[in-house]
Amino acid sequence: MILTNEEDLMLTSLPVELIIRIFALLDWRTILVCREVCTFFRSILEGDSAQYEIELAVSGMTDGPPSPFTTSDRLALLKERNAAWESLRWVESQDIPMMQGRIWELYGDVFAQSSTPNVLHFRQLPSKYRKIEEKTWGVALDIHVRDFTMDPAQDLLVLIEEPTSFPNTNTNVTTRSIRIHLRSLTTGDRHRLAPQPAILVHDFDAQNVQAAYTLQVCDNLLGILLTHTELGADPELTIWDWTTGKVILACFSSEIATFAFLSNRFLLVGSLFGPEAINIQAHLYVFDMTQPSSEKFDLGANYFCAFLWPEFDFWTSPQTFSIRSDPSPAWQPNPEARLPFSTAPGDRLFIMTVSLVNNGRIASYDMFVPANTLLSHIEALPKQEVHSYEIKWDEWGPTGTRLMQSLSQPSPWVCYVFGTKFVSLVEPTHTSPQTLEIRDFNQLAMKRDAKVQGGISHHVHDTTVIREVFANEIHTSLPYRVVKRTLTPCSSPEPFFAAVMCSEDSLLLVDSSHRHLRILTF
């Protein structure tokens, strides 16, 4: 088709920023064609500004604040960084010891671990391509810490104090009080944005109960899932605005298995036991946090909508259900760091893992779900009052997810996802060199056909078929890219790594037997 002068004028008179965003959605072959359309398009596409915008969009990154780095500097660094990740070419490897404490955390390129119940040690992981220098520091605390999480961008350290018990004078039940301290990550002092006093208190009734905690931060929101190890005590999920101390949402139910922040507005809560179901069916309940309530409610009440998994078959008994996604939907680095670029908050992958027993055999399955798969269906719901709307599996699952049997057994080292990347060790054995594998679900990068020369990565478009475990045969086909690299021995004897974790600029190999970590820096 030949454009008329009027049509051509309309096309080229679009704002340059809009044309750049359109080009960012094109694969590289189409961009080459667009360069030949006219000198105007060629001038846009050959400039560093356009190339940088396109590279940011395709990489799932966002530009950093003003700094001495020019646009040309940032573009060169970003291309080098992408090439390094796409071929798993790290620039540095170092081994560090694991301390004697029992708690640890990895978030926002900071690794933290305890040496004693009241001392935490932090390590800022370095980056060649984002110009981050390594830094270590320690914080001695005035409490014994049971568990913790952090948000380096907000200088936030959330500490759960080892709980105390005291008799309830009105009943025979013991009341356990959980004290949640809001501190500065760098100093251990009260956080400047925390309420006064900088302690959140949560009470629950329990008799000789040990509890496990899952903590997550999303901007001003703090979520804590308290799971009792004693049968008969229901899990409790509480969401606070930690800057005010107010409860946004409080939910209790035997069905609560896991949770994650989907956005600043929506909360995902995973359940394995659907009400009144003949076969067990996992549910992803979505709660709207813009309608807060401090009153405790049951999981089946007041939810915005629910995504339904396929039903398990009669012979399958699910045991555990977890959701992992990093960073949070509100994540952004501290602007004072003046980084050239960072992971865009919207480009995130959820890993939903269910472990189960089927005909006496233990197995686990991973479902890979981009945030956009869920958010696009929520946004498409009717605009009128929506309450407890159920989205069937066939509506969202087959093309919007990828369900596969897990490569390895569930591990306590759960920081295996960052952005759209999922990292694992392929069939680790003590008798052969270990292999790192990254599955990247960045769909724009795949559309650009960003393959690395030498065949180290390949794209997967085939449909995955699961014929066991579920009541019906399950087909999923979300595309992804695979990169593998065999680990070259760095010492003799080479340690056996039981797990691998992923941050924005590093991979961390875990040798739990000899209590040390190997940090691979990009």
PDB file of all heavy atoms in Angstrom, residues 451-476:
ATOM      1  N   LYS A 451      18.395 -13.579  20.693  1.00  0.00           N
ATOM      2  CA  LYS A 451      19.210 -14.767  20.925  1.00  0.00           C
ATOM      3  C   LYS A 451      20.688 -14.398  20.976  1.00  0.00           C
ATOM      4  O   LYS A 451      21.133 -13.483  20.303  1.00  0.00           O
ATOM      5  CB  LYS A 451      18.990 -15.799  19.820  1.00  0.00           C
ATOM      6  CG  LYS A 451      17.621 -16.478  19.886  1.00  0.00           C
ATOM      7  CD  LYS A 451      17.554 -17.600  18.876  1.00  0.00           C
ATOM      8  CE  LYS A 451      16.235 -18.334  18.977  1.00  0.00           C
ATOM      9  NZ  LYS A 451      16.155 -19.460  18.013  1.00  0.00           N
ATOM     10  N   VAL A 452      21.410 -15.133  21.781  1.00  0.00           N
ATOM     11  CA  VAL A 452      22.856 -14.915  21.880  1.00  0.00           C
ATOM     12  C   VAL A 452      23.564 -15.844  20.907  1.00  0.00           C
ATOM     13  O   VAL A 452      23.245 -17.026  20.808  1.00  0.00           O
ATOM     14  CB  VAL A 452      23.330 -15.185  23.323  1.00  0.00           C
ATOM     15  CG1 VAL A 452      24.829 -15.022  23.427  1.00  0.00           C
ATOM     16  CG2 VAL A 452      22.619 -14.254  24.284  1.00  0.00           C
ATOM     17  N   GLN A 453      24.527 -15.322  20.198  1.00  0.00           N
ATOM     18  CA  GLN A 453      25.266 -16.137  19.241  1.00  0.00           C
ATOM     19  C   GLN A 453      25.965 -17.281  19.956  1.00  0.00           C
ATOM     20  O   GLN A 453      26.428 -17.156  21.079  1.00  0.00           O
ATOM     21  CB  GLN A 453      26.298 -15.284  18.506  1.00  0.00           C
ATOM     22  CG  GLN A 453      25.661 -14.248  17.568  1.00  0.00           C
ATOM     23  CD  GLN A 453      26.702 -13.477  16.800  1.00  0.00           C
ATOM     24  OE1 GLN A 453      27.899 -13.635  17.026  1.00  0.00           O
ATOM     25  NE2 GLN A 453      26.248 -12.644  15.883  1.00  0.00           N
ATOM     26  N   GLY A 454      26.009 -18.423  19.292  1.00  0.00           N
ATOM     27  CA  GLY A 454      26.640 -19.594  19.878  1.00  0.00           C
ATOM     28  C   GLY A 454      25.630 -20.569  20.434  1.00  0.00           C
ATOM     29  O   GLY A 454      25.993 -21.640  20.895  1.00  0.00           O
ATOM     30  N   GLY A 455      24.356 -20.196  20.406  1.00  0.00           N
ATOM     31  CA  GLY A 455      23.311 -21.133  20.791  1.00  0.00           C
ATOM     32  C   GLY A 455      23.197 -21.393  22.268  1.00  0.00           C
ATOM     33  O   GLY A 455      22.659 -22.412  22.679  1.00  0.00           O
ATOM     34  N   ILE A 456      23.695 -20.476  23.105  1.00  0.00           N
ATOM     35  CA  ILE A 456      23.627 -20.729  24.542  1.00  0.00           C
ATOM     36  C   ILE A 456      22.205 -20.554  25.076  1.00  0.00           C
ATOM     37  O   ILE A 456      21.854 -21.062  26.110  1.00  0.00           O
ATOM     38  CB  ILE A 456      24.616 -19.826  25.303  1.00  0.00           C
ATOM     39  CG1 ILE A 456      24.808 -20.335  26.737  1.00  0.00           C
ATOM     40  CG2 ILE A 456      24.161 -18.376  25.300  1.00  0.00           C
ATOM     41  CD1 ILE A 456      25.939 -19.669  27.472  1.00  0.00           C
ATOM     42  N   SER A 457      21.367 -19.812  24.369  1.00  0.00           N
ATOM     43  CA  SER A 457      19.967 -19.664  24.782  1.00  0.00           C
ATOM     44  C   SER A 457      19.057 -20.125  23.667  1.00  0.00           C
ATOM     45  O   SER A 457      19.407 -20.096  22.490  1.00  0.00           O
ATOM     46  CB  SER A 457      19.658 -18.208  25.137  1.00  0.00           C
ATOM     47  OG  SER A 457      19.591 -17.418  23.970  1.00  0.00           O
ATOM     48  N   HIS A 458      17.863 -20.571  24.036  1.00  0.00           N
ATOM     49  CA  HIS A 458      16.869 -20.935  23.035  1.00  0.00           C
ATOM     50  C   HIS A 458      15.491 -20.579  23.549  1.00  0.00           C
ATOM     51  O   HIS A 458      15.273 -20.423  24.754  1.00  0.00           O
ATOM     52  CB  HIS A 458      16.963 -22.418  22.678  1.00  0.00           C
ATOM     53  CG  HIS A 458      16.537 -23.341  23.775  1.00  0.00           C
ATOM     54  ND1 HIS A 458      17.375 -23.708  24.805  1.00  0.00           N
ATOM     55  CD2 HIS A 458      15.355 -23.965  24.014  1.00  0.00           C
ATOM     56  CE1 HIS A 458      16.742 -24.528  25.628  1.00  0.00           C
ATOM     57  NE2 HIS A 458      15.515 -24.697  25.178  1.00  0.00           N
ATOM     58  N   HIS A 459      14.553 -20.421  22.628  1.00  0.00           N
ATOM     59  CA  HIS A 459      13.193 -20.043  22.976  1.00  0.00           C
ATOM     60  C   HIS A 459      12.299 -21.271  22.999  1.00  0.00           C
ATOM     61  O   HIS A 459      12.447 -22.173  22.167  1.00  0.00           O
ATOM     62  CB  HIS A 459      12.647 -19.033  21.972  1.00  0.00           C
ATOM     63  CG  HIS A 459      13.382 -17.725  21.991  1.00  0.00           C
ATOM     64  ND1 HIS A 459      13.008 -16.665  21.213  1.00  0.00           N
ATOM     65  CD2 HIS A 459      14.454 -17.292  22.694  1.00  0.00           C
ATOM     66  CE1 HIS A 459      13.807 -15.630  21.428  1.00  0.00           C
ATOM     67  NE2 HIS A 459      14.701 -16.007  22.326  1.00  0.00           N
ATOM     68  N   VAL A 460      11.367 -21.291  23.943  1.00  0.00           N
ATOM     69  CA  VAL A 460      10.429 -22.403  24.071  1.00  0.00           C
ATOM     70  C   VAL A 460       9.030 -21.895  23.754  1.00  0.00           C
ATOM     71  O   VAL A 460       8.487 -21.046  24.472  1.00  0.00           O
ATOM     72  CB  VAL A 460      10.473 -23.020  25.485  1.00  0.00           C
ATOM     73  CG1 VAL A 460       9.456 -24.154  25.596  1.00  0.00           C
ATOM     74  CG2 VAL A 460      11.875 -23.528  25.801  1.00  0.00           C
ATOM     75  N   HIS A 461       8.447 -22.399  22.681  1.00  0.00           N
ATOM     76  CA  HIS A 461       7.087 -22.041  22.291  1.00  0.00           C
ATOM     77  C   HIS A 461       6.151 -23.243  22.346  1.00  0.00           C
ATOM     78  O   HIS A 461       4.937 -23.080  22.213  1.00  0.00           O
ATOM     79  CB  HIS A 461       7.074 -21.458  20.875  1.00  0.00           C
ATOM     80  CG  HIS A 461       7.811 -20.160  20.747  1.00  0.00           C
ATOM     81  ND1 HIS A 461       7.229 -18.944  21.031  1.00  0.00           N
ATOM     82  CD2 HIS A 461       9.092 -19.894  20.366  1.00  0.00           C
ATOM     83  CE1 HIS A 461       8.107 -17.973  20.823  1.00  0.00           C
ATOM     84  NE2 HIS A 461       9.250 -18.521  20.431  1.00  0.00           N
ATOM     85  N   ASP A 462       6.701 -24.450  22.519  1.00  0.00           N
ATOM     86  CA  ASP A 462       5.871 -25.654  22.545  1.00  0.00           C
ATOM     87  C   ASP A 462       4.920 -25.629  23.736  1.00  0.00           C
ATOM     88  O   ASP A 462       5.196 -25.009  24.769  1.00  0.00           O
ATOM     89  CB  ASP A 462       6.746 -26.913  22.618  1.00  0.00           C
ATOM     90  CG  ASP A 462       7.643 -27.061  21.402  1.00  0.00           C
ATOM     91  OD1 ASP A 462       7.341 -26.423  20.379  1.00  0.00           O
ATOM     92  OD2 ASP A 462       8.644 -27.798  21.495  1.00  0.00           O
ATOM     93  N   THR A 463       3.835 -26.331  23.606  1.00  0.00           N
ATOM     94  CA  THR A 463       2.858 -26.445  24.690  1.00  0.00           C
ATOM     95  C   THR A 463       3.307 -27.507  25.687  1.00  0.00           C
ATOM     96  O   THR A 463       3.739 -28.600  25.294  1.00  0.00           O
ATOM     97  CB  THR A 463       1.474 -26.807  24.130  1.00  0.00           C
ATOM     98  OG1 THR A 463       1.025 -25.748  23.282  1.00  0.00           O
ATOM     99  CG2 THR A 463       0.461 -27.007  25.246  1.00  0.00           C
ATOM    100  N   THR A 464       3.241 -27.182  26.959  1.00  0.00           N
ATOM    101  CA  THR A 464       3.516 -28.161  28.019  1.00  0.00           C
ATOM    102  C   THR A 464       2.219 -28.869  28.375  1.00  0.00           C
ATOM    103  O   THR A 464       1.191 -28.213  28.639  1.00  0.00           O
ATOM    104  CB  THR A 464       4.096 -27.484  29.267  1.00  0.00           C
ATOM    105  OG1 THR A 464       5.328 -26.835  28.927  1.00  0.00           O
ATOM    106  CG2 THR A 464       4.358 -28.505  30.367  1.00  0.00           C
ATOM    107  N   VAL A 465       2.256 -30.185  28.409  1.00  0.00           N
ATOM    108  CA  VAL A 465       1.070 -30.984  28.696  1.00  0.00           C
ATOM    109  C   VAL A 465       1.297 -31.757  29.992  1.00  0.00           C
ATOM    110  O   VAL A 465       2.290 -32.485  30.120  1.00  0.00           O
ATOM    111  CB  VAL A 465       0.747 -31.959  27.544  1.00  0.00           C
ATOM    112  CG1 VAL A 465      -0.510 -32.772  27.871  1.00  0.00           C
ATOM    113  CG2 VAL A 465       0.565 -31.198  26.238  1.00  0.00           C
ATOM    114  N   ILE A 466       0.399 -31.594  30.944  1.00  0.00           N
ATOM    115  CA  ILE A 466       0.435 -32.339  32.211  1.00  0.00           C
ATOM    116  C   ILE A 466      -0.712 -33.332  32.180  1.00  0.00           C
ATOM    117  O   ILE A 466      -1.896 -32.939  32.176  1.00  0.00           O
ATOM    118  CB  ILE A 466       0.294 -31.405  33.433  1.00  0.00           C
ATOM    119  CG1 ILE A 466       1.352 -30.292  33.387  1.00  0.00           C
ATOM    120  CG2 ILE A 466       0.393 -32.203  34.728  1.00  0.00           C
ATOM    121  CD1 ILE A 466       2.766 -30.766  33.524  1.00  0.00           C
ATOM    122  N   ARG A 467      -0.400 -34.619  32.157  1.00  0.00           N
ATOM    123  CA  ARG A 467      -1.434 -35.659  32.034  1.00  0.00           C
ATOM    124  C   ARG A 467      -1.771 -36.312  33.359  1.00  0.00           C
ATOM    125  O   ARG A 467      -2.736 -37.071  33.439  1.00  0.00           O
ATOM    126  CB  ARG A 467      -0.991 -36.717  31.022  1.00  0.00           C
ATOM    127  CG  ARG A 467      -0.872 -36.185  29.607  1.00  0.00           C
ATOM    128  CD  ARG A 467      -0.580 -37.294  28.606  1.00  0.00           C
ATOM    129  NE  ARG A 467      -0.672 -36.809  27.233  1.00  0.00           N
ATOM    130  CZ  ARG A 467       0.319 -36.248  26.569  1.00  0.00           C
ATOM    131  NH1 ARG A 467       1.515 -36.096  27.176  1.00  0.00           N
ATOM    132  NH2 ARG A 467       0.156 -35.829  25.335  1.00  0.00           N
ATOM    133  N   GLU A 468      -0.962 -36.068  34.383  1.00  0.00           N
ATOM    134  CA  GLU A 468      -1.220 -36.655  35.690  1.00  0.00           C
ATOM    135  C   GLU A 468      -1.589 -35.541  36.667  1.00  0.00           C
ATOM    136  O   GLU A 468      -1.549 -34.366  36.340  1.00  0.00           O
ATOM    137  CB  GLU A 468       0.017 -37.413  36.193  1.00  0.00           C
ATOM    138  CG  GLU A 468       0.430 -38.585  35.303  1.00  0.00           C
ATOM    139  CD  GLU A 468       1.676 -39.278  35.829  1.00  0.00           C
ATOM    140  OE1 GLU A 468       2.373 -38.680  36.662  1.00  0.00           O
ATOM    141  OE2 GLU A 468       1.935 -40.413  35.408  1.00  0.00           O
ATOM    142  N   VAL A 469      -1.967 -35.943  37.853  1.00  0.00           N
ATOM    143  CA  VAL A 469      -2.177 -35.046  38.990  1.00  0.00           C
ATOM    144  C   VAL A 469      -3.518 -34.309  38.921  1.00  0.00           C
ATOM    145  O   VAL A 469      -4.258 -34.242  39.907  1.00  0.00           O
ATOM    146  CB  VAL A 469      -1.023 -34.027  39.127  1.00  0.00           C
ATOM    147  CG1 VAL A 469      -1.300 -33.046  40.257  1.00  0.00           C
ATOM    148  CG2 VAL A 469       0.298 -34.743  39.353  1.00  0.00           C
ATOM    149  N   PHE A 470      -3.864 -33.760  37.751  1.00  0.00           N
ATOM    150  CA  PHE A 470      -5.102 -32.996  37.641  1.00  0.00           C
ATOM    151  C   PHE A 470      -6.228 -33.863  37.090  1.00  0.00           C
ATOM    152  O   PHE A 470      -5.990 -34.887  36.450  1.00  0.00           O
ATOM    153  CB  PHE A 470      -4.891 -31.765  36.756  1.00  0.00           C
ATOM    154  CG  PHE A 470      -3.937 -30.769  37.344  1.00  0.00           C
ATOM    155  CD1 PHE A 470      -2.595 -30.768  36.974  1.00  0.00           C
ATOM    156  CD2 PHE A 470      -4.359 -29.841  38.288  1.00  0.00           C
ATOM    157  CE1 PHE A 470      -1.704 -29.856  37.524  1.00  0.00           C
ATOM    158  CE2 PHE A 470      -3.476 -28.927  38.843  1.00  0.00           C
ATOM    159  CZ  PHE A 470      -2.146 -28.929  38.463  1.00  0.00           C
ATOM    160  N   ALA A 471      -7.459 -33.408  37.325  1.00  0.00           N
ATOM    161  CA  ALA A 471      -8.624 -34.178  36.892  1.00  0.00           C
ATOM    162  C   ALA A 471      -8.707 -34.264  35.379  1.00  0.00           C
ATOM    163  O   ALA A 471      -9.199 -35.252  34.831  1.00  0.00           O
ATOM    164  CB  ALA A 471      -9.900 -33.552  37.462  1.00  0.00           C
ATOM    165  N   ASN A 472      -8.222 -33.208  34.695  1.00  0.00           N
ATOM    166  CA  ASN A 472      -8.210 -33.198  33.240  1.00  0.00           C
ATOM    167  C   ASN A 472      -6.805 -32.853  32.741  1.00  0.00           C
ATOM    168  O   ASN A 472      -6.001 -32.280  33.470  1.00  0.00           O
ATOM    169  CB  ASN A 472      -9.207 -32.164  32.704  1.00  0.00           C
ATOM    170  CG  ASN A 472     -10.629 -32.470  33.134  1.00  0.00           C
ATOM    171  OD1 ASN A 472     -11.196 -33.504  32.765  1.00  0.00           O
ATOM    172  ND2 ASN A 472     -11.228 -31.571  33.920  1.00  0.00           N
ATOM    173  N   GLU A 473      -6.527 -33.201  31.498  1.00  0.00           N
ATOM    174  CA  GLU A 473      -5.236 -32.892  30.906  1.00  0.00           C
ATOM    175  C   GLU A 473      -5.062 -31.379  30.811  1.00  0.00           C
ATOM    176  O   GLU A 473      -5.949 -30.667  30.344  1.00  0.00           O
ATOM    177  CB  GLU A 473      -5.172 -33.526  29.506  1.00  0.00           C
ATOM    178  CG  GLU A 473      -3.799 -33.530  28.884  1.00  0.00           C
ATOM    179  CD  GLU A 473      -3.783 -34.345  27.596  1.00  0.00           C
ATOM    180  OE1 GLU A 473      -3.552 -35.566  27.677  1.00  0.00           O
ATOM    181  OE2 GLU A 473      -4.016 -33.758  26.516  1.00  0.00           O
ATOM    182  N   ILE A 474      -3.893 -30.887  31.249  1.00  0.00           N
ATOM    183  CA  ILE A 474      -3.665 -29.446  31.329  1.00  0.00           C
ATOM    184  C   ILE A 474      -2.635 -29.032  30.271  1.00  0.00           C
ATOM    185  O   ILE A 474      -1.541 -29.603  30.185  1.00  0.00           O
ATOM    186  CB  ILE A 474      -3.165 -29.043  32.738  1.00  0.00           C
ATOM    187  CG1 ILE A 474      -4.184 -29.483  33.795  1.00  0.00           C
ATOM    188  CG2 ILE A 474      -2.933 -27.543  32.802  1.00  0.00           C
ATOM    189  CD1 ILE A 474      -5.574 -28.916  33.604  1.00  0.00           C
ATOM    190  N   HIS A 475      -2.988 -27.997  29.486  1.00  0.00           N
ATOM    191  CA  HIS A 475      -2.108 -27.459  28.453  1.00  0.00           C
ATOM    192  C   HIS A 475      -1.784 -26.003  28.793  1.00  0.00           C
ATOM    193  O   HIS A 475      -2.695 -25.203  29.023  1.00  0.00           O
ATOM    194  CB  HIS A 475      -2.781 -27.510  27.078  1.00  0.00           C
ATOM    195  CG  HIS A 475      -3.054 -28.895  26.589  1.00  0.00           C
ATOM    196  ND1 HIS A 475      -2.511 -29.395  25.423  1.00  0.00           N
ATOM    197  CD2 HIS A 475      -3.806 -29.907  27.103  1.00  0.00           C
ATOM    198  CE1 HIS A 475      -2.919 -30.641  25.238  1.00  0.00           C
ATOM    199  NE2 HIS A 475      -3.710 -30.974  26.253  1.00  0.00           N
ATOM    200  N   THR A 476      -0.498 -25.656  28.805  1.00  0.00           N
ATOM    201  CA  THR A 476      -0.079 -24.260  29.003  1.00  0.00           C
ATOM    202  C   THR A 476       1.017 -23.930  27.989  1.00  0.00           C
ATOM    203  O   THR A 476       1.829 -24.792  27.640  1.00  0.00           O
ATOM    204  CB  THR A 476       0.447 -24.010  30.431  1.00  0.00           C
ATOM    205  OG1 THR A 476       1.469 -24.967  30.744  1.00  0.00           O
ATOM    206  CG2 THR A 476      -0.674 -24.125  31.458  1.00  0.00           C
TER     207      THR A 476
END
